[in-house]
């Protein structure tokens, strides 16, 4: 599904701004991967003498209440902050695709049942589930991931279902059927690739949303726990020191926000590429 | 159309039933012995066992479930193992505050999204479009809790323009009718308290609404752009209608129809995500109620909370689905 | 019928669209028109001829187009008028109807509201606007008008919708009606009915009309004067009888020949002009029509012909017209 020549031609169609967003996303991912190696200080080392130092040349983003360098914590925490949403999305998207496709290809009772199941999943308050799971399994990033994955897949199931339905009724599928192409082949080689095109957009934008939700969960204590360097947990630990050390809260907050924004804008750019009729001139 | 509505209506109870079942069995997973928690830390073993029998926890699970359903259908949401009060009463205490919050947040949402979408759609591609959209996007990608903390810090602590936390000045007594301070103060005619209580609600509501504003503005904007390109808009201009009139009287109603579903879902989502804002701004509400209930393994309270949220979400969707054909005359009868 | 000064005068109107990379696509070149009070002019051409762009530009409905030239309405140049003035004129002094009646009507607004809107935005009271709407709709052949005010577009048939569009364009008693392909989206029988309605209505009020169509046969019974366009230029114009009985341009001849005749034998193939209209931007030097012209010769590629007189008020743009050119100089 990744076509080299197509990718390079699509790349050319992006504006400078959009290219910047993609570059930004890739940079964040790269930073997450190599973070631990390039961090200037040890993120776990507690040095109370250096507590709550403002940003300086030695500590670019200052230190937290335990004297730990915020920049290093940020770099270490990038992994958990990014991996978590990716895990959620990968799960939700795969499960959702399978279920959505089944629903779309089997209209009638099966479809109806699956749709009601999705309704239940969507109506169920995600945060309560996360808190519940956090309570049941002990609060951790893992419980948050599981909870969110369970709440997110119905959205994908619905999306994939409507995409598949749309493609299934297109004429080129009808002609494939008439020509006697076996059903499985139709599904995998024709329907799915076309339907899934729109998914890339949704997944990118969803990563942005999940990043925010997970850090929110960490904030209320149902996700990553301090002293984890997950960015949401960093905000939690910094909360009490906002007045004396605003950087403990502001910096990780900006990091979360920036990452979310980059993913979001990249998703937007993908959407415009996908559907030229939506071209919103950015000048 | 009536048939479709009927079908939707019919589907709602099973969905709600599934939610209830799910929650009931989910709460069983939460660690902790409910009888022990209810009896208290210093209770003796006999007291714990007595409590267990009292709460009906000695029967097999499916019987407990059956009993619960039975009570539910009679409007009894159970008794909280903590407060010893009916859960319904507890809920009635906290729910209005959340509703107040969500209502104001929704008002803010619409008040900002509608003009923003119209503005950016009408001036698509120009500087104002980009500026407004960046602003809105920023509001949406900033983590809610971070935004809350920052606003609280800025307006509450530094500028001292708005209160930091709480729901009303301590010492102010407002006769309690609905439990929502704003409404109660209005009802009792005390305007100054009303204004004051507004100041308590405005920051939380603003914080809560930001993420939703981002989504709604974007959706409405793209819908508007599609509508503004249509023939009838040009015809409206050819009649001499001003740009403003075209936007508001022709484009907006047509563009709003597909976004109604999203608005409905947003209200449901808002209700479900009040916890973050409540915890930062020290408010009561269904979010913190649910969280405490979960942590304390107060089963009935948890189920009730989830039930309320789930029902609210499902009902809102139902209402929106029923509303759309009323607004869009094309959908009113099945036609060829 | 003809007073001395034209009520609408279009001088050297040229329109082009710029694409994102700056390329220019000329859609209309040096268009001229004079419309007198009570006169009915038909502008005929295939799609791509620029006729719709020309019509829409009179009311400045194409903000993205780059136009030059003048459009004088009762002496006032609409090209430089303020947008407020243009809004005043739209609907009230110059009315316009459009091609696709379904997409041209607001689907969620009652037709009564849509028609009376023209009056309401000018301060007319709700009751009076409503009454006038009813009267007009009845006149235009919509039965049971008072009860149908609250209907929605989807409840009407194509012909009815077209009448509603017509009502919208004339309810404020404009001096000019621009009808852009009013019958194209309708089937033949309904076409005839709607044409009859338009005919009746405009003659009763002596309403100056510009009628746009791609179908010469439709305008035959209606127009006084015909302008034939091709690829952005006027190739022939003249009184309706001249055009139909003594066409001077090969293209006009081709259009006339391709009108199927009811008594033509079924074995005879339908005539058509081979080829397609060139896209704007791909129009060659010399005569735009030469690629499809039977009588094209070398001069046709080298030089673009001018619009010259060939008869009484009859102009043609061709190096080798089917009729001789007059000797007196003209103002093409």
């Amino acid at each position: 599904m990744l076509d080299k020549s197509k990718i390079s031609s699509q790349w050319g169609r992006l504006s400078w701004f959009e290219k910047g967003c993609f570059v930004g996303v890739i940079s964040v991912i790269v930073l997450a991967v190599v973070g631990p190696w390039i961090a200037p200080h040890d993120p776990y080392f507690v040095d109370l003498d250096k507590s709550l130092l403002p940003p300086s040349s030695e500590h670019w983003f200052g230190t937290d209440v335990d004297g730990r360098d915020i920049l290093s914590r940020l770099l270490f925490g990038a992994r958990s902050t990014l991996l978590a949403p990716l895990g959620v999305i990968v799960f939700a998207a795969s499960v959702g695709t399978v279920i959505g496709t089944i629903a779309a290809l089997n209209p009638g009772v099966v479809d109806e049942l699956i749709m009601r199941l999705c309704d239940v999943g969507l109506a169920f308050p995600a945060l309560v589930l996360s808190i519940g799971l956090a309570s049941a399994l002990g609060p951790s990033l893992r419980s948050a991931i599981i909870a969110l994955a369970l709440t997110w897949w119905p959205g994908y199931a619905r999306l994939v279902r409507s995409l598949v339905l749309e493609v299934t009724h297109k004429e080129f599928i009808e002609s494939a059927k008439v020509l006697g192409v076996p059903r499985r082949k139709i599904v995998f080689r024709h329907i799915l690739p076309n339907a899934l095109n729109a998914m890339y957009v949704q997944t990118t934008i969803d990563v942005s949303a999940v990043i925010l939700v997970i850090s929110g969960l960490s904030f209320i204590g149902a996700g990553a726990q301090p002293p984890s360097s997950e960015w949401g947990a960093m905000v939690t630990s910094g909360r009490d020191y906002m007045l004396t050390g605003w950087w403990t809260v502001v910096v990780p907050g900006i990091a979360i926000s920036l990452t979310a924004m980059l993913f979001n804008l990249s998703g937007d750019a993908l959407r415009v590429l996908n559907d030229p009729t939506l071209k919103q001139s950015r000048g | 159309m009536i048939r479709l509505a009927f079908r939707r209506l019919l589907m709602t109870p099973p969905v709600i039933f599934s939610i209830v079942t799910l929650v009931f069995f989910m709460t069983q997973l939460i660690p902790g012995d409910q009888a022990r928690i209810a009896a208290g830390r210093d209770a003796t073993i006999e007291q714990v066992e007595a409590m267990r029998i009292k709460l009906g926890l000695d029967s097999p699970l499916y019987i407990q479930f059956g009993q619960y359903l039975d009570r539910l259908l009679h409007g009894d949401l159970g008794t909280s193992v903590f407060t010893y009060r009916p859960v319904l009463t507890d809920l009635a205490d906290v729910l209005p505050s959340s509703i107040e919050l969500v209502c104001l947040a929704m008002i803010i949402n619409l008040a900002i999204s509608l003009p923003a979408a119209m503005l950016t759609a009408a001036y698509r591609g120009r500087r104002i479009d980009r500026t407004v959209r960046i602003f809105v996007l920023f509001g949406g990608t900033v983590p809610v809790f971070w935004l809350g903390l920052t606003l609280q810090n800025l307006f509450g602590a530094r500028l001292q323009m708005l209160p930091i936390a709480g729901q009303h000045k301590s010492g102010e007594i407002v006769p309690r009718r609905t439990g929502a301070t704003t409404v109660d103060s209005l009802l009792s005619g005390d305007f100054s308290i009303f204004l004051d209580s507004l100041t308590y609600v405005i920051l939380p509501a603003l914080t809560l609404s930001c993420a939703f504003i981002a989504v709604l503005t974007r959706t409405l904007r793209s819908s508007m752009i599609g509508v503004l390109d249509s023939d009838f808009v040009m015809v409206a201009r050819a009649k001499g209608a001003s740009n403003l009139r075209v936007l508001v009287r022709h484009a907006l109603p047509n563009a709003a129809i597909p976004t109604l579903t999203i608005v409905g879902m947003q209200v449901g989502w808002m209700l479900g995500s009040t916890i973050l804002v409540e915890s930062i701004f020290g408010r009561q509400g269904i979010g913190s109620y649910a969280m405490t209930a979960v942590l304390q393994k107060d089963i009935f309270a948890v189920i009730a909370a989830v039930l309320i949220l789930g029902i609210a979400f499902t009902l809102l969707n139902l209402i929106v689905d029923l509303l759309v054909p009323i607004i869009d005359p094309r959908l009113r009868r099945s036609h060829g | 019928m003809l007073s001395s000064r034209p009520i609408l005068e279009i001088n050297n109107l040229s329109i082009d669209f710029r694409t994102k990379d700056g390329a220019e696509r000329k859609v209309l070149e040096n268009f001229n028109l004079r419309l007198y009070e009570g006169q009915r002019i038909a502008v005929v051409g295939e799609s791509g001829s620029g006729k719709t762009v020309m019509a829409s530009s009179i009311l400045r409905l194409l903000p993205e187009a780059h136009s030059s030239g003048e459009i004088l309405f009762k002496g006032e140049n609409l090209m430089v008028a303020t947008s407020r003035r243009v809004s005043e004129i739209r609907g009230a002094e110059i009315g316009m109807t459009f091609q696709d009646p379904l997409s041209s009507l607001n689907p969620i607004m009652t037709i009564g509201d849509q028609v009376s809107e023209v009056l309401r935005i000018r301060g007319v009271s709700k009751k009076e606007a409503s009454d006038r709407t009813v009267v007009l709709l009845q006149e235009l052949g919509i039965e049971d008008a008072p009860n149908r005010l609250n209907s929605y577009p989807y409840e009407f048939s194509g012909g009815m919708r077209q009448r509603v569009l017509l009502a919208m364009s004339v309810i404020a008693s404009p001096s000019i009606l621009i009808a852009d392909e009013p019958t194209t989206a309708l089937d033949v029988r309904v076409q005839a009915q709607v044409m009859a309605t338009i005919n009746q209505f405009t003659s009763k009020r002596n309403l100056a009309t510009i009628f746009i169509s791609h179908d010469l046969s439709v305008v035959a019974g209606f127009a006084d004067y015909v302008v034939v366009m091709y690829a952005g230029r006027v190739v022939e114009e003249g009184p309706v009888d001249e055009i139909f009985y003594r066409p001077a341009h090969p293209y006009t001849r081709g259009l006339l020949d391709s009108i199927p005749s009811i008594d033509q034998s079924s074995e005879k193939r339908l005539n058509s002009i081979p080829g397609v209209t060139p896209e704007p931007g791909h129009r060659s030097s010399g005569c735009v029509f030469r690629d499809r012209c039977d009588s094209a010769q070398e001069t046709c590629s080298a030089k673009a012909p001018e619009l010259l007189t060939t008869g009484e008020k009859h102009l043609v743009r061709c190096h080798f017209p089917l009729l001789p050119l007059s000797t007196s100089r003209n103002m093409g």
Side-chain angles (χ1 to χ4, degrees), chain C residues 207-228:
Chain C
L207 184 57
T209 312
I210 299 180
F211 192 105
I212 318 270
S213 180
H214 65 271
D215 191 346
L216 261 181
S217 56
V218 163
V219 305
F222 180 82
D224 308 315
Y225 195 83
V226 178
V227 174
V228 181

Tab-separated table of all heavy atoms in Angstrom, chain C residues 207-228:
chain	number	residue	atom	x	y	z
C	207	LEU	N	-40.489	43.321	-21.069
C	207	LEU	CA	-39.277	43.201	-20.279
C	207	LEU	C	-38.081	42.876	-21.173
C	207	LEU	O	-38.094	41.904	-21.902
C	207	LEU	CB	-39.497	42.078	-19.267
C	207	LEU	CG	-38.433	41.761	-18.236
C	207	LEU	CD1	-38.098	42.963	-17.410
C	207	LEU	CD2	-38.922	40.634	-17.352
C	208	ALA	N	-37.065	43.712	-21.117
C	208	ALA	CA	-35.858	43.436	-21.898
C	208	ALA	C	-35.233	42.145	-21.379
C	208	ALA	O	-35.056	41.982	-20.184
C	208	ALA	CB	-34.863	44.587	-21.758
C	209	THR	N	-34.907	41.249	-22.301
C	209	THR	CA	-34.423	39.937	-21.854
C	209	THR	C	-33.166	39.522	-22.569
C	209	THR	O	-33.017	39.750	-23.771
C	209	THR	CB	-35.491	38.856	-22.151
C	209	THR	OG1	-36.745	39.318	-21.688
C	209	THR	CG2	-35.147	37.555	-21.464
C	210	ILE	N	-32.252	38.942	-21.839
C	210	ILE	CA	-31.107	38.264	-22.451
C	210	ILE	C	-31.309	36.783	-22.181
C	210	ILE	O	-31.355	36.357	-21.027
C	210	ILE	CB	-29.771	38.710	-21.839
C	210	ILE	CG1	-29.577	40.205	-22.047
C	210	ILE	CG2	-28.622	37.939	-22.464
C	210	ILE	CD1	-28.290	40.728	-21.474
C	211	PHE	N	-31.432	36.020	-23.223
C	211	PHE	CA	-31.757	34.601	-23.082
C	211	PHE	C	-30.547	33.779	-23.517
C	211	PHE	O	-30.126	33.854	-24.652
C	211	PHE	CB	-32.968	34.286	-23.968
C	211	PHE	CG	-33.574	32.949	-23.706
C	211	PHE	CD1	-34.768	32.853	-23.009
C	211	PHE	CD2	-32.976	31.788	-24.172
C	211	PHE	CE1	-35.349	31.617	-22.774
C	211	PHE	CE2	-33.551	30.558	-23.937
C	211	PHE	CZ	-34.735	30.471	-23.237
C	212	ILE	N	-30.003	33.021	-22.599
C	212	ILE	CA	-28.807	32.232	-22.909
C	212	ILE	C	-29.234	30.806	-23.214
C	212	ILE	O	-30.015	30.225	-22.461
C	212	ILE	CB	-27.859	32.174	-21.710
C	212	ILE	CG1	-27.746	33.526	-21.035
C	212	ILE	CG2	-26.518	31.607	-22.096
C	212	ILE	CD1	-26.688	34.392	-21.542
C	213	SER	N	-28.705	30.236	-24.250
C	213	SER	CA	-29.041	28.848	-24.528
C	213	SER	C	-27.994	28.213	-25.411
C	213	SER	O	-27.214	28.904	-26.065
C	213	SER	CB	-30.401	28.774	-25.217
C	213	SER	OG	-30.723	27.422	-25.483
C	214	HIS	N	-27.974	26.898	-25.447
C	214	HIS	CA	-27.093	26.234	-26.416
C	214	HIS	C	-27.939	25.699	-27.561
C	214	HIS	O	-27.429	25.104	-28.493
C	214	HIS	CB	-26.335	25.089	-25.737
C	214	HIS	CG	-27.249	23.997	-25.292
C	214	HIS	ND1	-27.849	23.991	-24.060
C	214	HIS	CD2	-27.700	22.899	-25.931
C	214	HIS	CE1	-28.621	22.929	-23.955
C	214	HIS	NE2	-28.556	22.248	-25.082
C	215	ASP	N	-29.221	25.933	-27.442
C	215	ASP	CA	-30.154	25.323	-28.378
C	215	ASP	C	-30.825	26.403	-29.221
C	215	ASP	O	-31.669	27.142	-28.746
C	215	ASP	CB	-31.199	24.552	-27.556
C	215	ASP	CG	-32.065	23.669	-28.420
C	215	ASP	OD1	-32.054	23.842	-29.659
C	215	ASP	OD2	-32.750	22.820	-27.838
C	216	LEU	N	-30.430	26.479	-30.494
C	216	LEU	CA	-30.980	27.505	-31.382
C	216	LEU	C	-32.484	27.359	-31.554
C	216	LEU	O	-33.204	28.341	-31.674
C	216	LEU	CB	-30.320	27.414	-32.763
C	216	LEU	CG	-29.185	28.386	-33.046
C	216	LEU	CD1	-28.664	28.169	-34.450
C	216	LEU	CD2	-29.670	29.811	-32.877
C	217	SER	N	-32.962	26.141	-31.572
C	217	SER	CA	-34.380	25.947	-31.836
C	217	SER	C	-35.234	26.539	-30.737
C	217	SER	O	-36.329	27.030	-30.981
C	217	SER	CB	-34.694	24.463	-32.006
C	217	SER	OG	-34.258	23.762	-30.867
C	218	VAL	N	-34.737	26.530	-29.516
C	218	VAL	CA	-35.513	27.065	-28.407
C	218	VAL	C	-35.700	28.568	-28.551
C	218	VAL	O	-36.749	29.116	-28.238
C	218	VAL	CB	-34.818	26.719	-27.070
C	218	VAL	CG1	-35.334	27.569	-25.943
C	218	VAL	CG2	-35.002	25.245	-26.754
C	219	VAL	N	-34.675	29.246	-29.053
C	219	VAL	CA	-34.773	30.708	-29.091
C	219	VAL	C	-35.496	31.219	-30.320
C	219	VAL	O	-35.823	32.389	-30.413
C	219	VAL	CB	-33.370	31.364	-29.004
C	219	VAL	CG1	-32.639	30.889	-27.783
C	219	VAL	CG2	-32.573	31.077	-30.256
C	220	ALA	N	-35.765	30.302	-31.264
C	220	ALA	CA	-36.349	30.755	-32.527
C	220	ALA	C	-37.629	31.536	-32.327
C	220	ALA	O	-37.829	32.584	-32.938
C	220	ALA	CB	-36.592	29.558	-33.437
C	221	GLY	N	-38.516	31.026	-31.485
C	221	GLY	CA	-39.794	31.703	-31.344
C	221	GLY	C	-39.777	32.847	-30.363
C	221	GLY	O	-40.786	33.472	-30.084
C	222	PHE	N	-38.624	33.120	-29.818
C	222	PHE	CA	-38.593	34.052	-28.706
C	222	PHE	C	-37.807	35.322	-29.005
C	222	PHE	O	-38.243	36.429	-28.700
C	222	PHE	CB	-38.001	33.321	-27.493
C	222	PHE	CG	-37.904	34.162	-26.275
C	222	PHE	CD1	-39.002	34.358	-25.460
C	222	PHE	CD2	-36.697	34.779	-25.940
C	222	PHE	CE1	-38.909	35.151	-24.320
C	222	PHE	CE2	-36.601	35.569	-24.798
C	222	PHE	CZ	-37.705	35.751	-23.986
C	223	ALA	N	-36.633	35.146	-29.568
C	223	ALA	CA	-35.716	36.289	-29.621
C	223	ALA	C	-35.991	37.238	-30.785
C	223	ALA	O	-36.560	36.851	-31.804
C	223	ALA	CB	-34.284	35.776	-29.725
C	224	ASP	N	-35.558	38.504	-30.587
C	224	ASP	CA	-35.549	39.471	-31.686
C	224	ASP	C	-34.200	39.453	-32.363
C	224	ASP	O	-34.066	39.673	-33.551
C	224	ASP	CB	-35.777	40.896	-31.191
C	224	ASP	CG	-37.009	40.997	-30.329
C	224	ASP	OD1	-38.041	40.426	-30.715
C	224	ASP	OD2	-36.928	41.656	-29.277
C	225	TYR	N	-33.190	39.234	-31.539
C	225	TYR	CA	-31.815	39.405	-31.991
C	225	TYR	C	-31.013	38.238	-31.446
C	225	TYR	O	-31.194	37.834	-30.309
C	225	TYR	CB	-31.271	40.718	-31.429
C	225	TYR	CG	-30.007	41.227	-32.070
C	225	TYR	CD1	-30.048	41.955	-33.260
C	225	TYR	CD2	-28.765	41.011	-31.468
C	225	TYR	CE1	-28.886	42.440	-33.846
C	225	TYR	CE2	-27.608	41.496	-32.047
C	225	TYR	CZ	-27.661	42.211	-33.238
C	225	TYR	OH	-26.509	42.701	-33.805
C	226	VAL	N	-30.124	37.707	-32.265
C	226	VAL	CA	-29.362	36.534	-31.821
C	226	VAL	C	-27.865	36.814	-31.873
C	226	VAL	O	-27.369	37.407	-32.836
C	226	VAL	CB	-29.677	35.313	-32.712
C	226	VAL	CG1	-28.838	34.114	-32.282
C	226	VAL	CG2	-31.154	34.978	-32.640
C	227	VAL	N	-27.171	36.392	-30.844
C	227	VAL	CA	-25.714	36.506	-30.818
C	227	VAL	C	-25.165	35.091	-30.744
C	227	VAL	O	-25.523	34.337	-29.847
C	227	VAL	CB	-25.256	37.304	-29.577
C	227	VAL	CG1	-23.748	37.297	-29.463
C	227	VAL	CG2	-25.784	38.728	-29.639
C	228	VAL	N	-24.319	34.735	-31.684
C	228	VAL	CA	-23.755	33.384	-31.676
C	228	VAL	C	-22.327	33.453	-31.173
C	228	VAL	O	-21.516	34.221	-31.685
C	228	VAL	CB	-23.769	32.767	-33.091
C	228	VAL	CG1	-23.192	31.358	-33.057
C	228	VAL	CG2	-25.191	32.743	-33.637
